[in-house]
């Protein structure tokens, strides 16, 4: 027992100091438990297969997809509209919305839903994310106290009452206490968040290498040389592949992209595909094609091939998500600098083979501070030329591997990750709603619902590929939680948990029911900092029931103290999954949780000691 407590104490000190990464500290404590024979390797590694940890992995992917598709930005915009310019109103509204969702969805799921929304909202509103994320995580736990299903400890104490032959708690029996928790939390967090949160610089770090997409568009005057045509019903363009039509030779224009609308039964599910024009591409009636060339040449091509020129100041159709400028959802642009020993030197563009070998088009050439936009097919490439290329992000990234012939400027995949897949937002919204419904109505286990949603996000293209899905996962948080979960097994196995809880509760019993309830509450609150709230509730519920019986008082207030005490734990990042989920996004340190969470936890406890007996009197057993 002493060895376990010593390992826990040293870990806590290292967490507070913050000199060593928190996940590394957690792994070292786990290794110590194995080396001293306190836990077997199987027990020590059980945290990595824990359903909470697996669920967190899936939730990171789901949250990443919500962010990447722009759905978070849309929802954040609604919240920002209601909050106006008041940061105080935004904080209160965020906590109320989060608590409302947390009443019916697990606090982990609630935070995963709200996290990308608030990050996007903060970026658009110029607000530091650290001001919002920790209060949001705490609010998810407070919201769990509103209903019987809001948090597992509620179900644990209800089950304990029923096993003792007493009347169980109703679905909304916790609601009055939950409302007091939320009001108390908001009133306490307003000054604490202003005092201790928001000191970190949340501004995104920009890549020094390469130019942004908007810079490339402006520099190469893409919009000035780009025209959009809609293919009409009787257009001969639909009869042959583009290669057979010899459009560049006859009209001195290049078709660079094809947009096609796909409609489902419901307008909400309409999507637009974005395809780079290749030699084998076939266009269809109603397609919108993007053409580069001089206006007179494009106009002549449109007249002779039955295409309608679209005013560049309007969108292709009524879908507001489709803008007149190029979109970079699937297809991107980048600069490629030719090296001296490149095989492309002195070769005409039409013979370069870049489209056939690498799937990219050359849109423009920068040579000696001059730009060449038209009749590119006959231009001979020279050493030092900078080519503006177009292709899928994957193909552009593949070009960067051949560095002895050319250099792709910047980081294509990193640039692609900044592009919002707005056309996939309806799919992401549908998947997210299905996940929430499955968790609320218990169609499948919560962890299964989350994993199914994560896989669907990848399969449906809400994330570009599996690699991007993996990049959305914050592995530091995952390792931290997975490595600390077995600590609860060690505390229970060595008898430390039972000795601490039983000693505190029994020692305070002689001072009356209020002192006993306070002892139960703060013991639960303390243990939850190191053990999961469910495990703490399972451990303390029978002790509280027995203590109430020995004093001849009603067990309800003591069991409510167990439930609330285990749920209102804010003083460390690994006490609850929501606390860990927001830690990397908010750039919080362990001490941030101590400075904000400890006062909140203590004040919440004092309020609850007074409030719980008002709704659940001690009475007679």
């Amino acid at each position: 027992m002493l060895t376990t407590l010593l390992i826990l104490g040293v870990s806590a000190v290292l967490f507070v100091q913050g000199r060593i990464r928190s996940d590394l500290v957690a792994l070292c404590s786990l290794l110590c438990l194995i080396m001293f024979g306190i836990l077997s390797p199987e027990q020590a590694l059980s945290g990595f297969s824990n359903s909470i940890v697996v669920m967190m992995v899936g939730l990171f992917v789901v949250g990443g997809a919500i962010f990447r598709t722009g759905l978070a930005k849309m929802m954040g915009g609604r919240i920002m509209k209601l909050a106006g310019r008041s940061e105080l109103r935004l904080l209160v509204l965020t906590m109320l919305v989060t608590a409302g969702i947390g009443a019916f969805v697990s606090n982990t799921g609630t935070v995963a839903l709200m996290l990308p929304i608030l990050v996007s909202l903060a970026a658009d509103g110029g607000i530091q994310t650290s001001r919002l994320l920790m209060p949001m995580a705490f609010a998810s736990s407070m919201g769990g106290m509103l209903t019987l299903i809001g948090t597992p400890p509620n179900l644990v104490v209800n089950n304990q009452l029923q096993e003792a032959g007493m009347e169980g708690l109703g679905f909304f029996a916790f609601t009055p206490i939950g409302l007091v928790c939320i009001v108390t939390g908001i009133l306490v967090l307003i000054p604490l968040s202003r005092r201790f949160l928001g000191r970190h610089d949340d501004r995104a770090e920009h890549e020094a290498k390469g130019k942004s997409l908007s810079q490339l568009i402006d520099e190469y005057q893409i919009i000035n040389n780009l025209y959009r045509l809609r293919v009409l019903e009787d257009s001969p363009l639909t009869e042959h592949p583009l290669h057979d039509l010899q459009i560049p030779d006859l009209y001195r224009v290049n078709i660079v992209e094809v947009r096609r609308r796909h409609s489902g039964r419901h307008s909400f599910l309409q999507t637009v595909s974005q395809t780079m024009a290749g030699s084998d591409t076939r266009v269809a009636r109603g397609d919108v094609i993007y053409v580069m060339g001089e206006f007179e040449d494009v106009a002549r091509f449109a007249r002779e091939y039955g295409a309608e020129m679209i005013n560049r100041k309007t969108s292709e159709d009524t879908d507001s998500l489709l803008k007149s400028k190029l979109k970079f959802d699937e297809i991107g642009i980048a600069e490629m600098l030719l090296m001296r020993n490149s095989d492309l030197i002195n070769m005409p563009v039409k013979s370069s083979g870049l489209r056939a070998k690498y799937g990219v088009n050359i849109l423009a050439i920068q040579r000696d501070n001059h730009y060449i936009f038209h009749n590119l097919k006959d231009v001979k490439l020279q050493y030092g030329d900078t080519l503006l290329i177009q292709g899928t992000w994957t193909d552009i990234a593949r070009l960067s591997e051949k560095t002895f012939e050319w250099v792709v400027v910047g980081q294509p995949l990193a640039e692609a990750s900044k592009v919002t897949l707005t056309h996939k937002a309806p799919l992401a919204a549908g998947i997210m709603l299905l996940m929430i419904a499955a968790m609320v109505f218990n169609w499948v286990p919560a962890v299964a619902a989350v994993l199914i949603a994560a896989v669907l996000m990848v399969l449906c293209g809400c994330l570009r590929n599996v690699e991007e899905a993996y990049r959305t996962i914050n592995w530091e948080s995952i390792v931290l939680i997975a490595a600390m979960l077995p600590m609860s097994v060690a505390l229970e196995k060595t008898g430390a948990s039972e000795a601490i809880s039983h000693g505190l509760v029994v020692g305070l019993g002689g001072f009356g029911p209020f002192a006993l309830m306070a002892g139960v509450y703060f013991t639960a609150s303390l243990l939850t900092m190191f053990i999961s709230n469910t495990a703490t509730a399972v451990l303390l519920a029978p002790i509280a029931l027995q203590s109430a019986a020995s004093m001849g008082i009603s067990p309800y207030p003591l069991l409510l103290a167990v439930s609330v005490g285990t749920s209102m734990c804010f003083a460390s990042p690994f006490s609850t999954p929501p606390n860990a989920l927001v830690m990397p996004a908010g750039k919080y340190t362990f001490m941030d949780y101590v400075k904000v969470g400890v006062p909140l936890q203590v004040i919440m406890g004092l309020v609850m000691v007074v409030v719980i007996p008002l709704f659940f009197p001690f009475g007679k057993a």
Side-chain angles (χ1 to χ4, degrees):
M1 181 191 301
L2 292 177
T3 304
T4 303
L5 293 175
L6 180 61
I7 294 173
L8 180 60
V10 172
S11 300
V13 171
L14 293 175
F15 280 132
V16 171
Q17 287 180 341
R19 295 178 182 176
I20 304 175
R21 281 174 52 124
S22 56
D23 54 342
L24 187 58
V25 173
L27 283 174
C28 289
S29 67
L30 188 66
L31 291 173
C32 288
L33 292 175
I34 297 175
M35 292 168 58
F36 286 101
I38 299 170
L39 294 179
S40 66
E42 292 77 15
Q43 291 174 320
L45 297 175
S46 61
F48 290 90
S49 61
N50 188 282
S51 60
I52 290 293
V53 174
V54 177
M55 188 186 299
M56 285 179 64
V57 171
L59 288 171
F60 272 120
V61 176
V62 173
I66 292 172
F67 189 83
R68 187 71 69 234
T69 57
L71 185 61
K73 188 173 184 178
M74 298 175 202
M75 298 171 72
R78 298 289 180 88
I79 296 176
M80 182 65 84
K81 188 176 181 180
L82 291 173
R85 296 183 177 275
S86 171
E87 187 173 320
L88 173 60
R89 197 182 309 161
L90 179 60
L91 175 65
V92 173
L93 186 60
T94 295
M95 293 188 66
L96 290 177
V97 170
T98 304
I101 298 172
F104 303 97
V105 180
S106 71
N107 55 7
T108 309
T110 302
V111 170
L113 170 65
M114 293 296 296
L115 179 60
I117 296 173
L118 290 186
V119 170
S120 179
L121 185 153
D124 291 342
I127 300 169
Q128 291 178 308
T129 54
S130 54
R131 284 283 181 90
L132 299 176
L133 295 187
M134 189 182 293
M136 179 266 290
F138 294 168
S140 70
S141 298
M142 298 171 196
M145 292 307 304
L146 290 172
T147 62
L148 179 64
I149 64 169
T151 183
N154 292 359
L155 296 172
V156 170
V157 299
N158 184 60
N159 183 66
Q160 187 70 43
L161 285 168
Q162 291 175 338
E163 287 184 354
M166 299 180 183
E167 184 180 355
L169 297 165
F171 189 84
F172 293 107
F174 293 87
T175 304
I177 294 175
L179 292 174
V180 174
C181 287
I182 294 169
V183 172
T184 303
I186 291 174
L187 293 177
V188 174
L189 282 173
I190 288 173
L192 287 179
S193 62
R194 286 180 176 176
R195 175 68 178 84
F196 296 112
L197 302 180
R199 303 179 314 281
H200 309 294
D201 187 2
D202 292 336
R203 292 174 297 179
E205 296 179 3
H206 299 285
E207 292 289 341
K209 300 178 181 179
K211 302 169 185 174
S212 69
L213 294 174
S214 59
Q215 287 174 323
L216 290 176
I217 290 171
D218 293 339
E219 180 178 340
Y220 285 89
Q221 304 175 39
I222 291 178
I223 299 303
N224 295 335
N225 293 278
L226 184 68
Y227 299 89
R228 298 177 305 128
L229 311 178
R230 189 188 305 277
V231 180
L232 301 177
E233 289 291 329
D234 56 349
S235 172
L237 277 172
T238 61
E239 299 174 0
H240 303 282
L242 293 180
H243 175 73
D244 296 346
L245 302 177
Q246 298 182 327
I247 295 171
D249 295 327
L250 298 176
Y251 297 94
R252 298 189 301 179
V253 299
N254 287 315
I255 300 177
V256 296
E257 187 177 313
V258 179
R259 303 262 185 95
R260 183 170 300 164
R261 172 169 283 283
H262 305 277
S263 298
R265 290 185 178 181
H266 197 285
S267 60
F268 184 68
L269 297 178
Q270 290 181 339
T271 59
V272 174
S273 63
Q274 181 188 22
T275 308
M276 193 181 72
S279 59
D280 297 328
T281 300
R282 286 179 177 268
V283 297
R285 295 171 180 84
D287 284 354
V288 173
I289 57 176
Y290 281 64
V291 180
M292 293 195 72
E294 295 187 11
F295 177 79
E296 294 77 9
D297 294 330
V298 175
R300 182 167 64 91
F301 163 71
R303 284 195 307 270
E304 297 181 9
Y305 267 95
E308 172 191 15
M309 293 191 70
I310 302 174
N311 184 345
R312 283 182 290 168
K313 294 183 179 179
T314 63
S315 58
E316 286 97 311
D317 44 35
T318 57
D319 191 340
S320 62
L321 294 178
L322 296 176
K323 305 299 182 183
S324 58
K325 297 182 180 181
L326 276 172
K327 292 168 67 69
F328 301 103
D329 298 340
E330 309 295 339
I331 299 171
I333 56 175
E335 285 185 308
M336 186 176 83
L337 178 65
L338 293 184
M339 305 296 286
R340 188 181 301 275
N341 57 346
S342 174
D343 293 337
L344 300 181
I345 301 300
N346 295 324
M347 184 179 293
V349 169
K350 64 182 179 182
S351 304
S352 65
L354 286 177
R355 175 178 285 182
K357 294 179 183 178
Y358 296 97
V360 298
N361 292 326
I362 299 176
L363 300 183
I365 301 173
Q366 179 186 353
R367 178 181 296 167
D368 298 329
N369 295 323
H370 296 289
Y371 296 88
I372 305 172
F373 301 103
H374 308 299
N375 302 321
L376 292 178
K377 64 184 181 65
D378 295 321
V379 175
K380 289 188 176 182
L381 299 173
Q382 299 179 9
Y383 163 63
D385 281 354
T386 300
L387 314 181
L388 181 68
I389 56 174
Q390 176 207 36
T392 65
W393 289 110
T394 303
D395 286 337
I396 293 175
R398 192 159 54 95
L399 270 176
S400 62
E401 298 173 1
K402 203 171 184 179
T403 55
F404 58 89
E405 286 201 55
W406 50 70
V407 175
V408 176
V409 183
Q411 298 176 320
L413 291 181
E415 194 66 37
S417 67
K418 302 174 186 176
V419 179
T420 304
L421 304 175
T422 52
H423 64 296
K424 294 290 186 179
L427 278 173
I431 294 170
M432 179 188 71
L433 292 175
L434 282 175
M435 180 190 77
I436 294 173
M439 295 171 72
V440 171
F441 297 106
N442 201 27
W443 292 338
V444 294
V447 64
V450 171
L451 290 180
I452 290 170
V455 171
L456 286 176
M457 288 293 189
V458 177
L459 294 179
C460 294
C462 299
L463 292 163
R464 286 188 173 82
N465 46 48
V466 178
E467 288 74 17
E468 185 174 42
Y470 284 135
R471 286 196 295 271
T472 65
I473 301 169
N474 185 275
W475 293 107
E476 181 178 353
S477 297
I478 297 299
V479 172
L480 171 65
I481 292 291
M484 286 305 297
L485 281 174
M487 180 63 73
S488 63
V489 179
L491 290 172
E492 292 179 40
K493 185 177 179 181
T494 58
S497 298
E498 185 174 359
I500 294 171
S501 59
H502 191 269
L504 286 173
V505 171
V506 172
L508 291 171
F511 296 95
F514 274 97
L516 178 60
M517 189 181 68
V520 170
Y521 184 97
F522 285 105
T523 299
S525 183
L526 177 65
L527 287 179
T528 307
M529 292 178 60
F530 309 104
I531 308 175
S532 73
N533 58 0
T534 306
T536 304
V538 170
L539 178 68
L540 283 179
I543 297 176
L545 188 66
Q546 184 180 4
S547 300
S550 64
M551 288 192 67
I553 61 174
S554 170
Y556 287 91
L558 296 188
L559 287 171
L560 264 292
V562 171
S563 181
V564 180
T566 55
S567 300
M568 301 296 101
C569 189
F570 314 114
S572 80
F574 51 81
S575 57
T576 62
N579 291 3
L581 273 173
V582 300
M583 188 178 184
K587 299 179 182 177
Y588 299 124
T589 65
F590 189 93
M591 283 305 298
D592 288 329
Y593 288 89
V594 173
K595 292 175 182 177
V596 177
V598 169
L600 175 61
Q601 196 162 320
V602 171
I603 294 172
M604 186 74 74
L606 295 175
V607 172
M608 286 297 106
V609 169
V610 175
V611 168
I612 290 176
L614 297 179
F615 296 104
F616 296 89
F618 291 110
K620 293 278 185 181

